Amino acid sequence: DAGVTQSPTHLIKTRGQHVTLRCSPISGHKSVSWYQQVLGQGPQFIFQYYEKEERGRGNFPDRFSARQFPNYSSELNVNALLLGDSALYLCASSFWGLNTEAFFGQGTRLTVV
Amino acid sequence: AQSVSQHNHHVILSEAASLELGCNYSYGGTVNLFWYVQYPGQHLQLLLKYFSGDPLVKGIKGFEAEFIKSKFSFNLRKPSVQWSDTAEYFCAVNAVTGGYNKLIFGAGTRLAVHP
């Protein structure tokens, strides 16, 4: 039974570059959310997608964007990388609605040098 | 703005000691409450959740939490910890705003259990 899968697991990028992170949700889940976890802090909400539409956005600059595909997988894109973007990026999938729980992937560790 | 506060950033216990981790949130509307655990090298896993009903909820591995609405609290407890409970614990609130749900996490509590 496959859980939430994310790729790549680790990534090193240079300041100013662009990065794309990928996520495949649990089968049957149509909602995908992205979180950023900086060392020593809890995850912070970036985006939520449901049925290929953005349903929520956290307090992140426009350099961050995302999309969801017809198979419900998702990409997170970050442009013009800054050192401060170094973090663990988590993808969570869930059913849509209030009384649902989110299932998290292993995350992508992004290091910007 | 909604927020979640976890009172203890680091906790060190001996095996068999009792555990209580504090969590308070600030949000006036309907909330769902969660505790997640992150074992070393592993992904975030759900320990327990509260949606409605009995405010005392039981989760996996002997953990429980009590929702006290008047105190905006959702503290995590375990009567007797084991070395395998060494992990980071996150309290999270699911606030329904603007038609979507998002999890708001606390900063986490690192628990180290010594044999």
Side-chain angles (χ1 to χ4, degrees):
Chain A
D1 190 17
V4 179
T5 56
Q6 292 186 243
S7 63
T9 54
H10 294 84
L11 204 51
I12 300 176
K13 288 285 191 178
T14 304
R15 275 179 299 174
Q17 283 189 316
H18 161 92
V19 70
T20 297
L21 312 179
R22 295 178 175 82
C23 171
S24 292
I26 291 171
S27 177
H29 287 181
K30 297 182 178 180
S31 178
V32 169
S33 298
W34 287 94
Y35 291 81
Q36 181 196 64
Q37 187 177 13
V38 173
L39 203 61
Q41 297 181 21
Q44 277 201 293
F45 173 78
I46 310 176
F47 287 112
Q48 182 177 43
Y49 275 77
Y50 171 64
E51 290 286 11
K52 303 184 291 293
E53 290 187 14
E54 182 184 304
R55 301 296 180 129
R57 184 186 183 112
N59 188 23
F60 281 81
D62 292 342
R63 299 184 295 108
F64 288 76
S65 64
R67 53 179 177 167
Q68 187 177 32
F69 299 98
N71 66 353
Y72 305 108
S73 67
S74 177
E75 281 183 357
L76 176 69
N77 296 283
V78 187
N79 292 324
L81 285 166
L82 303 173
L83 295 179
D85 295 330
S86 295
L88 181 67
Y89 288 85
L90 298 168
C91 174
S93 80
S94 66
F95 294 111
W96 178 254
L98 173 59
N99 294 337
T100 61
E101 61 186 79
F103 294 82
F104 285 83
Q106 291 266 26
T108 294
R109 173 73 64 189
L110 172 66
T111 302
V112 182
V113 298
Chain B
Q2 298 108 24
S3 64
V4 176
S5 175
Q6 292 184 238
H7 312 303
N8 314 97
H9 295 295
H10 292 92
V11 173
I12 301 173
L13 294 173
S14 299
E15 275 191 319
S18 64
L19 170 72
E20 180 159 2
L21 301 182
C23 173
N24 286 90
Y25 66 93
S26 64
Y27 183 68
T30 302
V31 293
N32 295 339
L33 299 159
F34 305 86
W35 276 96
Y36 282 88
V37 61
Q38 192 167 31
Y39 297 103
Q42 296 189 25
H43 63 279
L44 275 170
Q45 299 171 42
L46 183 68
L47 261 185
L48 46 77
K49 62 193 177 193
Y50 173 80
F51 292 157
S52 63
D54 189 343
L56 184 62
V57 293
K58 296 191 183 298
I60 61 171
K61 306 187 181 187
F63 285 91
E64 65 178 31
E66 185 175 12
F67 171 50
I68 303 179
K69 190 174 181 179
S70 61
K71 295 185 178 180
F72 298 89
S73 70
F74 190 55
N75 292 351
L76 181 71
R77 298 194 291 250
K78 186 171 184 179
S80 176
V81 295
Q82 301 173 316
W83 176 80
S84 58
D85 293 323
T86 295
E88 188 158 20
Y89 294 80
F90 293 94
C91 180
V93 172
N94 188 344
V96 181
T97 59
Y100 62 86
N101 304 337
K102 68 178 183 182
L103 285 173
I104 302 167
F105 283 86
T109 297
R110 285 190 182 273
L111 172 65
V113 180
H114 295 296

